[in-house]
Amino acid sequence: MSFRISHALWDKIHHFASFPQTGVSLQQMVLFGQNPSQGTLLKASQFLAEELPVRLAHRLPHGLSEMPSIVKVKNWYAQSFDELIHFPPIELPPDIRKALATPQSKPQNFPEASPNPSLNLLMDEMAWSRNREGQNGYSPFLLRLRVPMERRYYAATSLKVFPPEIYEYNNKFTKLITQIKTRHDPTVTTVASGILEYKRHHRTQSIGLEVQGWLDRFYMSRIGIRFLIGQHIALNNSPPHPSFVGIIDTAANVHEIVSEGIENARFVCEEHYGMFRAPSVQLICPKELNFPYVPGHLSHIIFELLKNSLRAVVERFGKDYEDNNVDHYPPIKVIVVEGKEDITIKISDEGGGIARSAIPLIWTYMYTTMEQSLLEGEESEPNDFKAPLAGFGYGLPLSRLYARYFGGDLRLISMDGFGTDVYIHLNRLSSSREPLL
């Protein structure tokens, strides 16, 4: 039986949506998660029990609500919200509560997170969208959602032995958010189905700028929610690792991540076109280039962009090009450089480029030239870092959101008739807070 949203629950959702969201930085999450005690994990659980309902309430889908797939996603969000706000709080003896609240003589101080530069980019794009749609400036709702100061959620306590109630609470809360994460696994593909329903319902081949802006905000929020949940689950369940803090690799090796992305993208290309050998990819990258990052995010970006480049090269020259010619496909080149603020990855291909008139459309969801057979047919098994949306116009816009989430960016320059250069900028300082809207 599907979950139904009552009037009372809607009232609570609107109440929680009036509170600002709390942004955290990658740097803060690393410092917080190093050798966490059960007391620290308790504070983290309580923080998420308060923060996740606020984030879900902010992003509970209101637009496109008549589309069946969007209704399904809305009910998932409402059910998760309901479970979180009714999760029973922990009851502790007064002496334990006092010990958890008493700081150490040398308490841990977290560095302040800096504003995410992507926030300005997203706000500018939203303002441009609203002006194009006939609205002037930002709405009062958006003005109210300023990025707030970070809450302190680190249990700087001298308590060494924790009572079983804390262990039990942490385990139960981790199980709850694991169920929630699993429930929301199909969200990207389901919303994509909702967009197809919207286009068929309105008999249009494109989505409006207002829907585009909503999707950007919705998916950016989803990245943040899944990052917080995934980090908390890993801190509670994963064994200690010399470089990993939760799902964050404090010494993520760029060469290894990019090399894996190259192998995966070439394999998918060979499978899709039935080729013996996909176009080669040349990697120029220092082998010892390490920095704190979430490997899954970077893997997703690299895989999606290389997949696009490989497809462009094969379709320009033909899948039988190497069989019928002495020459090989022109290689795709990946160059990685470390700067003072950013690590920049450039992916260059000779796939014919993109017409200048089409450049603004490449950041639009569902903009693609491939056949839309998957979503209109049977449902796929979705996974964050696989490719269930190959060919459905989600690769570029979602990759840009992943890059922007920790203060980076993704830019594209195309030479029509020759090829395309894509620049991935990754913030190596790890100090930018999430771009919450």
Side-chain angles (χ1 to χ4, degrees):
M1 183 176 178
S2 62
F3 185 84
R4 303 183 72 87
I5 308 175
S6 65
H7 291 295
L9 184 57
W10 268 122
D11 290 340
K12 290 181 181 179
I13 289 170
H14 292 144
H15 173 69
F16 274 77
S18 67
F19 292 99
Q21 303 167 91
T22 302
V24 297
S25 72
L26 195 66
Q27 185 182 55
Q28 288 174 326
M29 296 302 285
V30 169
L31 291 175
F32 157 74
Q34 290 176 336
N35 301 316
S37 67
Q38 283 296 315
T40 296
L41 293 175
L42 171 64
K43 294 288 285 185
S45 297
Q46 292 173 327
F47 170 77
L48 289 185
E50 177 185 343
E51 177 67 15
L52 290 178
V54 173
R55 295 201 182 194
L56 291 170
H58 276 290
R59 288 283 80 87
L60 199 77
H62 292 291
L64 314 171
S65 58
E66 70 275 15
M67 300 300 121
S69 295
I70 302 300
V71 171
K72 184 186 296 185
V73 173
K74 181 165 62 176
N75 288 337
W76 289 341
Y77 269 63
Q79 183 176 356
S80 298
F81 173 89
D82 187 58
E83 290 172 352
L84 285 164
I85 64 173
H86 288 106
F87 187 77
I90 189 170
E91 296 183 3
L92 293 172
D95 59 325
I96 299 297
R97 290 203 304 269
K98 182 179 179 181
L100 287 172
T102 302
Q104 294 175 329
S105 57
K106 294 181 179 180
Q108 174 84 34
N109 292 319
F110 285 101
E112 294 292 328
S114 59
N116 192 314
S118 301
L119 191 62
N120 294 329
L121 294 171
L122 290 169
M123 294 290 276
D124 289 343
E125 289 168 5
M126 289 159 56
W128 179 76
S129 171
R130 280 168 170 73
N131 289 332
R132 285 286 301 271
E133 297 288 344
Q135 303 178 30
N136 295 321
Y138 303 115
S139 69
F141 176 73
L142 290 173
L143 283 174
R144 195 168 67 245
L145 301 187
R146 293 188 296 270
V147 178
M149 294 294 290
E150 295 80 6
R151 298 171 193 159
R152 298 297 182 248
Y153 52 94
Y154 181 86
T157 177
S158 58
L159 197 65
K160 299 298 182 182
V161 180
F162 297 93
E165 293 92 336
I166 292 181
Y167 287 87
E168 184 180 1
Y169 179 88
N170 288 338
N171 288 333
K172 286 184 177 180
F173 186 78
T174 302
K175 288 181 181 178
L176 171 63
I177 61 176
T178 300
Q179 293 171 359
I180 289 174
K181 187 173 184 289
T182 302
R183 176 184 300 131
H184 291 258
D185 279 346
T187 294
V188 174
T189 48
T190 308
V191 171
S193 296
I195 299 302
L196 287 176
E197 293 164 3
Y198 172 85
K199 291 168 70 174
R200 286 196 293 264
H201 179 76
H202 292 277
R203 297 181 180 178
T204 179
Q205 294 299 314
S206 60
I207 59 176
L209 294 171
E210 188 175 357
V211 174
Q212 172 75 16
W214 178 82
L215 287 170
D216 272 340
R217 297 189 298 277
F218 179 81
Y219 286 133
M220 181 68 87
S221 174
R222 183 178 187 271
I223 291 171
I225 290 171
R226 292 182 74 81
F227 167 70
L228 290 179
I229 291 178
Q231 178 71 1
H232 191 78
I233 293 172
L235 287 177
N236 279 271
N237 295 343
S238 299
H241 189 279
S243 67
F244 272 83
V245 177
I247 60 173
I248 303 168
D249 189 350
T250 59
N253 186 277
V254 179
H255 189 279
E256 291 180 0
I257 296 172
V258 175
S259 297
E260 183 181 10
I262 291 171
E263 291 182 13
N264 292 339
R266 293 187 75 234
F267 174 78
V268 169
C269 179
E270 290 164 355
E271 288 289 304
H272 179 77
Y273 290 105
M275 303 172 66
F276 176 72
R277 183 173 57 196
S280 63
V281 180
Q282 297 177 354
L283 174 60
I284 302 174
C285 173
K287 291 191 176 181
E288 301 304 321
L289 179 53
N290 303 313
F291 79 121
Y293 210 71
V294 179
H297 288 195
L298 182 54
S299 296
H300 178 92
I301 298 169
I302 294 296
F303 175 73
E304 289 294 335
L305 297 181
L306 284 174
K307 189 169 51 135
N308 288 347
S309 291
L310 288 165
R311 176 189 163 217
V313 170
V314 171
E315 294 198 351
R316 181 187 183 192
F317 293 93
K319 66 177 182 178
D320 299 322
Y321 180 75
E322 289 196 355
D323 295 335
N324 300 330
N325 297 273
V326 177
D327 296 331
H328 299 291
Y329 289 109
I332 295 164
K333 297 179 181 178
V334 182
I335 302 174
V336 184
V337 176
E338 181 181 19
K340 292 182 179 180
E341 296 181 0
D342 288 346
I343 290 173
T344 303
I345 303 173
K346 183 175 99 167
I347 300 177
S348 303
D349 67 59
E350 297 180 27
I354 303 168
R356 189 157 53 94
S357 60
I359 292 295
L361 299 176
I362 63 175
W363 305 111
T364 304
Y365 297 92
M366 312 304 291
Y367 174 75
T368 179
T369 58
M370 290 188 72
E371 296 180 2
Q372 297 182 349
S373 58
L374 177 61
L375 287 177
E376 292 181 351
E378 60 185 49
E379 293 186 2
S380 64
E381 288 295 328
N383 183 291
D384 272 0
F385 305 122
K386 291 184 181 178
L389 296 179
F392 295 92
Y394 267 65
L396 275 176
L398 274 185
S399 294
R400 184 168 69 168
L401 293 183
Y402 274 107
R404 287 179 169 182
Y405 179 68
F406 287 124
D409 203 2
L410 193 153
R411 300 177 184 274
L412 182 147
I413 300 174
S414 184
M415 183 181 291
D416 189 13
F418 180 75
T420 301
D421 292 342
V422 181
Y423 294 83
I424 310 164
H425 300 280
L426 305 173
N427 181 359
R428 65 184 295 269
L429 303 178
S430 308
S431 59
S432 294
R433 70 166 70 92
E434 304 165 274
L436 302 175
L437 292 172

